[in-house]
Amino acid sequence: MPKVKVDGVELEVPAGATVLQACELAGKEIPRFCYHERLSIAGNCRMCLVEVKPGPPKPQASCALPASEGQEIRTDSEMVKKAREGVMEFLLINHPLDCPICDQGGECDLQDQSVAYGRGGSRYHEEKRAVTQKNMGPLIKTVMTRCIHCTRCVRFSEEVAGVDEIGALYRGEKTQISTYLEKAAKHELSANVIDLCPVGALTSRPYEFEARPWELKKTLSIDVSDAIGANIRLDSRGREVLRILPRVNDDVNEEWLADRARFLVDGLTHRRLDRPWLRLDGKLQAATWAEALAAVGKIKPGSSVAVIAGDMVDCETQFAAKKLAAALGSTLLEGRQTGLAYDTSNLAVLAFNTTLAGIEDADAILIYGSHVRDEAPLLNPRLRKAVKKGAKVYIIGPWWEPTYAATHLGDDAGAIDALPEDVASVFANAARPAIIIGGGALAKGGLEAGLAFSARFNLVREGWSGFNVLHFAAARMGGLMLGFAQKGGIADLVAAQPKLLISLGADEVDFAKFANSMIVHIGHHGDKAAHLADVILPAAAFSEKDGTYVNTEGRVQYAEKAVFAPGDAREDWSILRALADALGVSVGFDSFDELRAAMIAEVPSLGVEGLAPYGDIPAAPAGAHASGVIGYPVKDRYLTNAIGRASPTLQRCSAELIHGKIQAEAAE
């Protein structure tokens, strides 16, 4: 480890570190625009200049200069100060003075650094250049006159997302950043360039002119649009969430967020259920809470009760429903709405055991029945990293366009039993082989076939577990830990034909199969289930309640309440508690704290943040085989849940970016 001096303080830095990193280890703040920890080094903004001896008597870009033994680095000399002032002066030559109407105002790197490191005035009086706006689709607003050519957006698109959609045109002062052929950015991670842009050149189109950052209350939460469990921040004002941003968590989402998760925010205020409804004479009519609860209490179901949990439900809600069903004498609980019926007796078999960060170290990966870019967009950059390290990737299932080299082995689930010799050789000789089993394979007997594949190639070995199941629903792992699974799946509930069927935001169920049941829907949006329910009880969305979520790797995480539910809507646990009274049973809790304590007492893993211990993966069942053409569960990656389907922004994304239906602006 080389030793360097930073402003007279000697310290050791890791081998391969840059001078900028050495300065940060010494506690010095180095300004930068183009440098980003997760992107390659560009070295083109020159804001990170420092003085280094031995070396030429001029300031040097610290982001691109390796730290070496004996260097003396100055970050506060007069030379460095003047150099940074000069760089800032050049950056501001053409930058427009529109901070008062710029959405980046208040969280703009250029604003902050011009105050801290710039001069008091400019010596340039020439006319500023102007650049035409670029069309980057319905999510990204462009004001390219503000662009300082840091190329963060270009490097993110190429290196992280793996989609060459953004690049630089022309040279010198005429340089412009644009999408190729000025087409919309269509990939599933496109809006991360909004967070990366250090100025106001790329901002959020749906959030345009909505609020200033100092007006917003910030709440920590978890994304429920898929099973990755990305860490997010909800920015709210009053009773409305205005913005969703990613939080840094290197184990889960790094600092990225899928477009679906970021822009479903406006769906939280559209098509909301804000009052109870009763179906009378075949039509839904508004009712009071007392009337709705009384209607449920009248049916006296006894033990003929079933509960179906939706894809976005927190663990506390599922536990409260489980206690209600148990008090009535029922164990009919299910969360797999679309009919999956795989074995749930061992949760170690159903988790992403390699972990999201650990998959980057795999050297041979079989993606079995999963469209990763649609089902888990934040996993795809991890797989790109693995490929960059030399991993070979194979796909079984209908072909989709990965952003890395991959070999397609067919779309039949049985292809896993008849691998070509060269593919089998790759897995046999791999040091860290892995399989990722998606919902498409689970529907065709892929879990057992995957276990047989794991045993054949020794995927689980000392220091490595390469057996992974990739779920799509945010509620799936938490529900399985709480027992929301029948041996035959939802078919067992259909066969039972319960008198009372409770839907916990279950909008993907075919309720026509429950013609003889009274359907009570506890949900927050007027989506599919609400149209078929006999009683609708308005509930809180994920942003309107505290909750525990478990992601696909079995990581327990907690979300906080950002705003209150609209109208007469109530938090789910309180609705279930009221239902218990209406049905004349006791569930053993009267507050959320009592509910959570009871849940943790029954399932202690849900009380410890981090990876839950699931035990060992069992041996493969004898004669396990899969068959049938795989079909992916996601048909439209923007409209996968009730909130997304209510979002005008995601509706427009679906229409324009997937179906090619361009929506004309008012002036057109």
Side-chain angles (χ1 to χ4, degrees):
M1 295 176 64
K3 290 184 178 180
V4 300
K5 279 188 176 181
V6 179
D7 292 338
V9 178
E10 187 175 77
L11 72 155
E12 286 187 348
V13 297
T18 63
V19 169
L20 187 151
Q21 291 168 329
C23 294
E24 292 193 330
L25 286 173
K28 301 294 180 180
E29 180 181 299
I30 304 295
R32 82 289 298 269
F33 291 112
C34 67
Y35 176 79
H36 191 277
E37 293 81 356
R38 302 187 195 276
L39 304 176
S40 63
I41 294 172
N44 55 8
C45 80
R46 320 308 287 181
M47 195 63 207
C48 63
L49 295 173
V50 296
E51 185 179 352
V52 181
K53 296 178 182 178
K58 63 177 184 179
Q60 300 187 61
S62 61
C63 67
L65 183 64
S68 58
E69 183 71 32
Q71 282 179 332
E72 294 186 17
I73 305 164
R74 292 290 304 277
T75 67
D76 56 0
S77 67
E78 191 62 27
M79 176 196 293
V80 171
K81 182 174 179 293
K82 287 185 177 180
R84 290 175 180 171
E85 287 178 352
V87 169
M88 182 60 68
E89 198 170 1
F90 274 113
L91 287 174
L92 294 175
I93 290 173
N94 286 312
H95 196 79
L97 301 177
D98 57 1
C99 296
I101 56 116
C102 176
D103 275 319
Q104 197 80 356
E107 47 193 11
C108 174
D109 291 348
L110 189 63
Q111 276 184 335
D112 297 340
Q113 294 184 38
S114 62
V115 171
Y117 302 101
R119 298 178 72 250
S122 174
R123 292 171 288 180
Y124 290 89
H125 304 289
E126 293 82 0
E127 291 184 3
K128 294 177 180 287
R129 75 165 192 166
V131 180
T132 56
Q133 312 303 13
K134 312 298 181 186
N135 171 30
M136 292 196 182
L139 301 179
I140 305 171
K141 175 193 173 186
T142 64
V143 183
M144 301 314 293
T145 303
R146 300 171 184 160
C147 180
I148 62 170
H149 310 140
C150 70
T151 69
R152 281 185 180 183
C153 55
V154 177
R155 285 174 285 147
F156 170 82
S157 298
E158 293 178 353
E159 297 165 14
V160 178
V163 180
D164 294 336
E165 286 190 343
I166 302 178
L169 306 174
Y170 317 121
R171 300 181 68 185
E173 189 189 34
K174 296 184 179 179
T175 300
Q176 296 183 26
I177 302 295
S178 174
T179 51
Y180 293 114
L181 303 178
E182 297 198 11
K183 298 284 186 179
K186 292 185 177 182
H187 64 90
E188 66 282 359
L189 299 173
S190 65
N192 286 287
V193 299
I194 295 169
D195 300 331
L196 288 171
C197 185
V199 295
L202 304 176
T203 54
S204 170
R205 184 180 293 276
Y207 182 69
E208 183 179 10
F209 305 140
E210 284 288 332
R212 289 300 194 184
W214 55 83
E215 301 174 330
L216 303 175
K217 183 184 79 170
K218 300 168 178 59
T219 308
L220 308 184
S221 191
I222 302 298
D223 169 39
V224 297
S225 67
D226 58 35
I228 294 297
N231 288 211
I232 59 175
R233 190 186 86 196
L234 305 177
D235 287 357
S236 58
R237 183 177 60 192
R239 298 189 65 166
E240 183 177 354
V241 178
L242 296 177
R243 184 169 66 166
I244 296 177
L245 295 177
R247 288 188 285 132
V248 176
N249 187 326
D250 289 334
D251 294 327
V252 183
N253 58 304
E254 298 179 286
E255 60 184 80
W256 315 126
L257 190 60
D259 292 351
R260 173 176 62 215
R262 185 188 298 263
F263 290 107
L264 58 70
V265 61
D266 57 350
L268 292 169
T269 55
H270 287 76
R271 298 186 189 171
R272 288 303 301 267
L273 298 173
D274 59 0
R275 68 182 69 176
W277 295 80
L278 280 177
R279 190 174 297 278
L280 301 173
D281 299 325
K283 292 184 178 181
L284 286 172
Q285 297 185 18
T288 65
W289 273 103
E291 291 170 342
L293 293 171
V296 177
K298 285 178 183 177
I299 66 169
K300 302 189 183 304
S303 62
S304 184
V305 176
V307 181
I308 304 177
D311 290 347
M312 300 183 289
V313 184
D314 57 289
C315 292
E316 286 83 358
T317 297
Q318 294 181 78
F319 181 75
K322 178 182 178 180
K323 297 298 286 185
L324 175 59
L328 292 166
S330 173
T331 58
L332 290 175
L333 310 172
E334 184 55 74
R336 298 165 293 179
Q337 302 178 65
T338 54
L340 295 178
Y342 46 81
D343 181 17
T344 62
S345 58
N346 189 323
L347 292 185
V349 176
L350 300 173
F352 201 92
N353 294 286
T354 306
T355 72
L356 298 172
I359 197 68
E360 297 175 11
D361 297 324
D363 52 5
I365 304 170
L366 175 63
I367 301 175
Y368 186 31
S370 177
H371 189 321
V372 174
R373 292 182 64 182
D374 280 358
E375 296 171 30
L378 295 173
L379 176 61
N380 209 52
R382 304 275 194 184
L383 299 179
R384 274 185 55 80
K385 290 183 185 180
V387 172
K388 286 181 180 179
K389 294 178 182 179
K392 294 187 177 180
V393 177
Y394 303 90
I395 297 174
I396 295 178
W399 176 248
W400 48 277
E401 187 64 41
T403 58
Y404 36 81
T407 303
H408 187 223
L409 302 178
D411 58 4
D412 192 283
I416 194 172
D417 299 322
L419 298 177
E421 285 188 17
D422 58 331
V423 177
S425 176
V426 168
F427 282 96
N429 297 319
R432 293 176 299 277
I435 184 173
I436 298 173
I437 304 174
L442 292 174
K444 303 296 181 181
L447 184 62
E448 291 76 15
L451 283 169
F453 177 89
S454 175
R456 177 183 174 188
F457 295 110
N458 191 25
L459 265 57
V460 181
R461 56 187 72 174
E462 184 68 29
W464 177 258
S465 179
F467 188 82
N468 303 299
V469 171
L470 179 62
H471 297 289
F472 176 69
R476 182 69 74 246
M477 286 305 293
L480 294 178
M481 292 171 72
L482 291 167
F484 270 73
Q486 301 296 305
K487 187 173 183 179
I490 206 166
D492 287 358
L493 273 63
V494 175
Q497 284 297 305
K499 287 184 180 179
L500 175 62
L501 179 66
I502 299 175
S503 160
L504 302 177
D507 286 298
E508 317 304 327
V509 177
D510 182 4
F511 285 105
K513 296 178 179 179
F514 295 95
N516 299 321
S517 304
M518 181 182 194
I519 300 171
V520 177
H521 178 59
I522 301 173
H524 40 78
H525 276 77
D527 203 65
K528 301 174 184 178
H531 290 286
L532 298 171
D534 297 302
V535 180
I536 298 175
L537 304 177
F542 76 98
S543 58
E544 298 154 4
K545 58 185 175 181
D546 293 331
T548 302
Y549 296 92
V550 186
N551 76 352
T552 191
E553 57 182 350
R555 187 179 301 276
V556 178
Q557 303 183 107
Y558 303 112
E560 298 175 4
K561 179 177 180 177
V563 295
F564 289 96
D568 290 334
R570 299 291 182 264
E571 293 184 26
D572 307 61
W573 73 267
S574 64
I575 297 174
L576 291 160
R577 176 65 182 81
L579 274 178
D581 284 344
L583 293 168
V585 295
S586 172
V587 288
F589 60 85
D590 294 312
S591 68
F592 181 80
D593 290 338
E594 290 179 4
L595 166 62
R596 178 172 274 181
M599 179 184 73
I600 294 171
E602 185 169 312
V603 186
S605 297
L606 292 176
V608 182
E609 196 166 12
L611 292 173
Y614 290 143
D616 299 324
I617 295 175
H625 295 287
S627 62
V629 176
I630 291 172
Y632 296 136
V634 177
K635 306 304 179 187
D636 186 324
R637 68 169 175 258
Y638 294 109
L639 307 180
T640 59
N641 56 62
I643 304 176
R645 289 188 285 268
S647 164
T649 299
L650 294 188
Q651 289 174 19
R652 180 173 179 179
C653 286
S654 173
E656 291 191 14
L657 304 182
I658 293 182
H659 302 291
K661 301 175 182 177
I662 304 301
Q663 298 186 15
E665 301 290 347
E668 299 172 336

